[in-house]
Amino acid sequence: MNEIEFFSGTSVYDALKYMDMIYGRITAAQEDWRHAAVSTCPDGCGRCCVDFEPDLLESEALYMAVWLYFNRRPVFDRLLATENIQALRKNAGEHPDGCVFFDPDSPEHCTIYGGRALICRLFGYSGDHDKNGALRWRPCRFIPDKLMNGIEHRTYTRPELQKKFGVLPPDMTFFASEVLSIFPGKNGTQLVRSALPAAVKKIYQLLSFIAPPEPDHPFPTVPRTPGKSAA
């Protein structure tokens, strides 16, 4: 995310840079696995988001807030005015535990894809560990059998993965540990509904020191978007 450079010299810059690097490495690490494991998410599914709300570490929430500022500014502004993030949801009544950024009416469903949480990037295309610390992988339970291409809905061990695919999935534990190291001692997580409004306010406070307010804006103290000239 190139906009991170705008925060150079601030207290969140290193965290944002490191998160961006980790997210980039996840994408790269999953590339070989996506080609080898021919089981893929069906187009327009999104079922894993309907009743699941990610919980975030502080660094994830800050990254998400910055992404919103540059890519979905109206949402960022609304979170400055209210912490009721659930008001943004279209289907909150039917699925109260779902992700606020899941849009059932959109073909892509995720309305914050570029700023999505760590678990959203890892799920389905990364492995975890069994009780003995051995790598394992299980395909998403929502993938229809007709799209499984010979892969079964069960857990595969490391030897099975190596034999069947010739490549191993990325280790989500490794990436999670890297994210945990960004703010040592702050290992607690909060649901998006709690973590994101707080992060938005922190990013806004930093922006108010490094950018002048925008003229004729509904929130007069909202900083100007970098590169946007005053009217």
Short mmCIF file of all heavy atoms in Angstrom, two decimals, residues 104-126:
data_model
loop_
_atom_site.label_atom_id
_atom_site.label_comp_id
_atom_site.label_asym_id
_atom_site.label_seq_id
_atom_site.Cartn_x
_atom_site.Cartn_y
_atom_site.Cartn_z
N PRO A 104 -23.80 -8.98 0.83
CA PRO A 104 -24.46 -10.09 0.14
C PRO A 104 -24.91 -9.74 -1.27
O PRO A 104 -25.14 -10.63 -2.09
CB PRO A 104 -25.66 -10.39 1.04
CG PRO A 104 -25.92 -9.12 1.77
CD PRO A 104 -24.58 -8.50 1.98
N ASP A 105 -25.01 -8.45 -1.57
CA ASP A 105 -25.49 -8.02 -2.88
C ASP A 105 -24.38 -7.77 -3.88
O ASP A 105 -24.63 -7.49 -5.05
CB ASP A 105 -26.33 -6.74 -2.74
CG ASP A 105 -27.56 -6.96 -1.87
OD1 ASP A 105 -28.12 -8.07 -1.91
OD2 ASP A 105 -27.94 -6.02 -1.14
N SER A 106 -23.13 -7.86 -3.43
CA SER A 106 -22.00 -7.63 -4.31
C SER A 106 -21.42 -8.96 -4.78
O SER A 106 -21.27 -9.89 -3.97
CB SER A 106 -20.91 -6.83 -3.59
OG SER A 106 -19.70 -6.84 -4.33
N PRO A 107 -21.08 -9.10 -6.06
CA PRO A 107 -20.48 -10.35 -6.55
C PRO A 107 -19.19 -10.70 -5.83
O PRO A 107 -18.87 -11.87 -5.63
CB PRO A 107 -20.23 -10.08 -8.04
CG PRO A 107 -21.16 -8.96 -8.39
CD PRO A 107 -21.26 -8.12 -7.15
N GLU A 108 -18.43 -9.68 -5.43
CA GLU A 108 -17.16 -9.93 -4.75
C GLU A 108 -17.36 -10.15 -3.25
O GLU A 108 -16.51 -10.71 -2.58
CB GLU A 108 -16.19 -8.75 -4.97
CG GLU A 108 -15.71 -8.59 -6.40
CD GLU A 108 -16.74 -7.92 -7.29
OE1 GLU A 108 -17.63 -7.22 -6.76
OE2 GLU A 108 -16.67 -8.11 -8.52
N HIS A 109 -18.46 -9.65 -2.70
CA HIS A 109 -18.84 -9.80 -1.30
C HIS A 109 -17.96 -9.00 -0.33
O HIS A 109 -18.48 -8.26 0.49
CB HIS A 109 -18.87 -11.27 -0.88
CG HIS A 109 -19.92 -12.07 -1.58
ND1 HIS A 109 -21.23 -11.64 -1.71
CD2 HIS A 109 -19.86 -13.28 -2.21
CE1 HIS A 109 -21.92 -12.53 -2.38
NE2 HIS A 109 -21.13 -13.53 -2.71
N CYS A 110 -16.65 -9.16 -0.38
CA CYS A 110 -15.78 -8.43 0.55
C CYS A 110 -15.58 -7.02 0.05
O CYS A 110 -15.01 -6.80 -1.03
CB CYS A 110 -14.43 -9.13 0.70
SG CYS A 110 -13.31 -8.26 1.84
N THR A 111 -16.01 -6.04 0.83
CA THR A 111 -15.91 -4.63 0.42
C THR A 111 -14.66 -3.96 0.95
O THR A 111 -14.49 -2.75 0.79
CB THR A 111 -17.15 -3.85 0.88
OG1 THR A 111 -17.25 -3.92 2.32
CG2 THR A 111 -18.42 -4.42 0.26
N ILE A 112 -13.79 -4.74 1.58
CA ILE A 112 -12.54 -4.18 2.11
C ILE A 112 -11.39 -5.12 1.77
O ILE A 112 -10.43 -5.27 2.53
CB ILE A 112 -12.66 -3.97 3.64
CG1 ILE A 112 -11.51 -3.14 4.18
CG2 ILE A 112 -12.83 -5.29 4.37
CD1 ILE A 112 -11.62 -2.78 5.64
N TYR A 113 -11.46 -5.73 0.59
CA TYR A 113 -10.53 -6.80 0.24
C TYR A 113 -9.07 -6.39 0.38
O TYR A 113 -8.26 -7.14 0.91
CB TYR A 113 -10.82 -7.25 -1.20
CG TYR A 113 -10.13 -8.55 -1.56
CD1 TYR A 113 -10.65 -9.76 -1.12
CD2 TYR A 113 -8.98 -8.56 -2.33
CE1 TYR A 113 -10.04 -10.96 -1.44
CE2 TYR A 113 -8.35 -9.76 -2.66
CZ TYR A 113 -8.88 -10.95 -2.21
OH TYR A 113 -8.26 -12.13 -2.52
N GLY A 114 -8.71 -5.22 -0.08
CA GLY A 114 -7.31 -4.79 0.01
C GLY A 114 -6.84 -4.52 1.43
O GLY A 114 -5.64 -4.50 1.69
N GLY A 115 -7.77 -4.33 2.35
CA GLY A 115 -7.40 -4.05 3.74
C GLY A 115 -7.85 -5.13 4.69
O GLY A 115 -7.81 -4.94 5.91
N ARG A 116 -8.26 -6.27 4.16
CA ARG A 116 -8.85 -7.33 4.98
C ARG A 116 -7.87 -7.86 6.03
O ARG A 116 -6.66 -7.67 5.94
CB ARG A 116 -9.35 -8.47 4.09
CG ARG A 116 -8.28 -9.25 3.36
CD ARG A 116 -8.89 -10.06 2.24
NE ARG A 116 -7.94 -10.95 1.58
CZ ARG A 116 -7.03 -10.54 0.69
NH1 ARG A 116 -6.92 -9.27 0.38
NH2 ARG A 116 -6.22 -11.43 0.12
N ALA A 117 -8.43 -8.56 7.01
CA ALA A 117 -7.68 -9.04 8.16
C ALA A 117 -6.74 -10.19 7.80
O ALA A 117 -6.85 -10.81 6.74
CB ALA A 117 -8.66 -9.50 9.25
N LEU A 118 -5.84 -10.48 8.71
CA LEU A 118 -4.86 -11.55 8.52
C LEU A 118 -5.54 -12.90 8.29
O LEU A 118 -5.19 -13.61 7.35
CB LEU A 118 -3.95 -11.63 9.75
CG LEU A 118 -2.90 -12.75 9.74
CD1 LEU A 118 -1.82 -12.48 8.70
CD2 LEU A 118 -2.27 -12.91 11.13
N ILE A 119 -6.52 -13.25 9.11
CA ILE A 119 -7.17 -14.55 8.99
C ILE A 119 -7.87 -14.68 7.64
O ILE A 119 -7.91 -15.77 7.05
CB ILE A 119 -8.16 -14.79 10.15
CG1 ILE A 119 -8.74 -16.21 10.08
CG2 ILE A 119 -9.27 -13.75 10.15
CD1 ILE A 119 -7.71 -17.31 10.18
N CYS A 120 -8.38 -13.58 7.12
CA CYS A 120 -9.06 -13.61 5.82
C CYS A 120 -8.08 -13.90 4.70
O CYS A 120 -8.45 -14.49 3.68
CB CYS A 120 -9.77 -12.29 5.57
SG CYS A 120 -10.94 -11.83 6.86
N ARG A 121 -6.84 -13.48 4.87
CA ARG A 121 -5.81 -13.72 3.86
C ARG A 121 -5.28 -15.15 3.94
O ARG A 121 -4.83 -15.72 2.94
CB ARG A 121 -4.66 -12.73 4.04
CG ARG A 121 -5.09 -11.28 3.82
CD ARG A 121 -4.02 -10.29 4.28
NE ARG A 121 -4.52 -8.94 4.25
CZ ARG A 121 -4.40 -8.09 3.23
NH1 ARG A 121 -3.76 -8.47 2.14
NH2 ARG A 121 -4.89 -6.87 3.30
N LEU A 122 -5.31 -15.71 5.14
CA LEU A 122 -4.73 -17.04 5.35
C LEU A 122 -5.72 -18.17 5.14
O LEU A 122 -5.33 -19.27 4.70
CB LEU A 122 -4.16 -17.13 6.77
CG LEU A 122 -2.96 -16.24 7.08
CD1 LEU A 122 -2.64 -16.30 8.58
CD2 LEU A 122 -1.74 -16.65 6.27
N PHE A 123 -6.97 -17.93 5.44
CA PHE A 123 -7.96 -19.01 5.46
C PHE A 123 -8.10 -19.69 4.09
O PHE A 123 -8.19 -19.03 3.07
CB PHE A 123 -9.33 -18.46 5.88
CG PHE A 123 -10.40 -19.52 5.93
CD1 PHE A 123 -10.43 -20.44 6.95
CD2 PHE A 123 -11.37 -19.59 4.94
CE1 PHE A 123 -11.41 -21.43 7.00
CE2 PHE A 123 -12.35 -20.57 4.97
CZ PHE A 123 -12.37 -21.48 6.01
N GLY A 124 -8.10 -21.02 4.13
CA GLY A 124 -8.32 -21.80 2.93
C GLY A 124 -7.05 -22.13 2.15
O GLY A 124 -6.94 -23.21 1.58
N TYR A 125 -6.10 -21.22 2.15
CA TYR A 125 -4.90 -21.42 1.35
C TYR A 125 -3.64 -21.44 2.21
O TYR A 125 -2.55 -21.14 1.75
CB TYR A 125 -4.78 -20.34 0.28
CG TYR A 125 -5.91 -20.42 -0.73
CD1 TYR A 125 -7.01 -19.59 -0.64
CD2 TYR A 125 -5.90 -21.37 -1.74
CE1 TYR A 125 -8.05 -19.68 -1.54
CE2 TYR A 125 -6.94 -21.48 -2.65
CZ TYR A 125 -8.01 -20.63 -2.54
OH TYR A 125 -9.06 -20.73 -3.43
N SER A 126 -3.82 -21.80 3.48
CA SER A 126 -2.69 -21.94 4.40
C SER A 126 -2.96 -23.11 5.32
O SER A 126 -4.11 -23.48 5.57
CB SER A 126 -2.49 -20.67 5.24
OG SER A 126 -2.23 -19.55 4.42
#
